[in-house]
Amino acid sequence: MLEPQGSDTRVNWIMNGPMNFFPGKLMSVFTSMDKVIGPDFDKGLANLKAAAEHP
């Protein structure tokens, strides 16, 4: 979701879907989803920023 914030834009980026016991819930016992998915979110946000700044 994109929300205007003055001269900036706030980006709310979520991911949802089913989390089956295996591997999702079982894996979450040993590592955080932030560590697993975080780099993909960072890369996607950097790409979004580049696209927004250089249309």
Side-chain angles (χ1 to χ4, degrees):
M1 177 187 318
L2 302 175
E3 299 174 29
Q5 302 258 313
S7 63
D8 297 327
T9 302
R10 179 182 176 148
V11 176
N12 290 316
W13 187 348
I14 62 170
M15 186 174 93
N16 62 13
M19 183 181 282
N20 300 325
F21 177 75
F22 185 81
K25 289 184 182 176
L26 182 60
M27 189 174 75
S28 69
V29 171
F30 300 105
T31 187
S32 75
M33 293 306 283
D34 229 15
K35 287 181 183 176
V36 174
I37 300 171
D40 290 325
F41 277 113
D42 290 341
K43 183 179 177 184
L45 288 171
N47 289 339
L48 179 62
K49 181 177 189 259
E53 292 176 346
H54 305 286

